Amino acid sequence: KTPLRVEFVSSGMINSDLPPSTVPEFALVGRSNVGKSSLLNYLAGQKQLARVSNTPGRTQTINLFSAEKGEFLLVDLPGYGYAESSLSTRAHWQKAMQEYFEKRDGLFAVLLLVDIRRDIQPEDEALSRWFQQLGLKVIAIQTKCDKLHKSKWNTIRIQHAKKLALTPSQVLTVSSDKKIGLPDILQTMSGLLDS
Ligand code: GDP
């Protein structure tokens, strides 16, 4: 499968900064440093679409990308859970994300990124349940799978699914570095768009 055709649309701090939703929207969310920018670049087959950085916790914006010539949007959201972010940064993140997830019209699915090597954190669990309560489709994506032997992927998938209140089929495994997992993600996304 070829990558998605993706173009940057705009960015903003809160919903009112963003153009109105007219097509279905997939939100990408995860802890800082989980590999979200790298995944976006991998999905798009581009090196420079999203910034890959070693400085997590910096002030980030909501970035909108149009995919497949406007068929749907990909929304890159600020990372969370950076240990050294200040209380005001966290409060701002919470407020902006609450507004985004509760009110954004076109939003229908969330790609929740988790590091395959790390335990699911309370924040990840809470977010997964909250997204489901809001009626959003949730797909968890285990990132950086090149860092863990393939024989362990399935066991971790089952553990992560349970913690996130998802079925194992709602958990995908990816490596942006080694280019593993793109076909599964694209197939799952198009399945959600057709459902
Ligand atoms: P973000 O903060 O979630 O946007 O994460 P980034 O995409 O900036 O990646 C954070 C760090 O993880 C960087 O050092 C990346 O090179 C590394 N990284 C991202 N994806 C992968 C992957 O698939 N495999 C490995 N081994 N490292 C990755």
Side-chain angles (χ1 to χ4, degrees), residues 30-42 50-58 60 76-77 79 113 115 117 142-147 174-180:
R31 304 178 71 76
S32 296
N33 221 34
V34 73
K36 189 158 52 62
S37 308
S38 303
L39 177 65
L40 199 53
N41 290 334
Y42 176 36
R51 199 170 95 175
V52 176
S53 150
N54 282 314
T55 51
R58 67 188 185 275
Q60 291 173 315
D76 181 23
L77 296 167
L113 277 56
D115 188 320
R117 300 165 300 171
Q142 300 178 297
T143 61
K144 310 188 191 183
C145 72
D146 56 284
K147 295 274 199 183
V174 70
S175 165
S176 306
D177 268 19
K178 294 285 184 285
K179 310 235 178 292
I180 300 166

Side-chain angles (χ1 to χ4, degrees), residues 75-89:
V75 183
D76 181 23
L77 296 167
Y80 57 88
Y82 182 53
E84 289 174 23
S85 57
S86 67
L87 278 180
S88 68
T89 305

Side-chain angles (χ1 to χ4, degrees), residues 47-80:
K47 284 215 168 78
Q48 296 292 347
L49 190 70
R51 199 170 95 175
V52 176
S53 150
N54 282 314
T55 51
R58 67 188 185 275
T59 307
Q60 291 173 315
T61 51
I62 301 172
N63 301 312
L64 254 62
F65 298 89
S66 162
E68 302 300 82
K69 298 199 183 294
E71 190 189 339
F72 59 92
L73 293 176
L74 291 172
V75 183
D76 181 23
L77 296 167
Y80 57 88

Side-chain angles (χ1 to χ4, degrees), residues 13 20 45 52 96 98 117 125 128-129 133 138 141 153 159 172 178 188-189:
M13 299 293 283
V52 176
Q98 192 163 1
R117 300 165 300 171
E125 280 187 55
S128 181
R129 286 178 168 76
Q133 278 162 16
V138 180
I141 299 188
W153 292 0
Q159 282 172 10
L172 308 178
K178 294 285 184 285
T188 301
M189 289 173 74

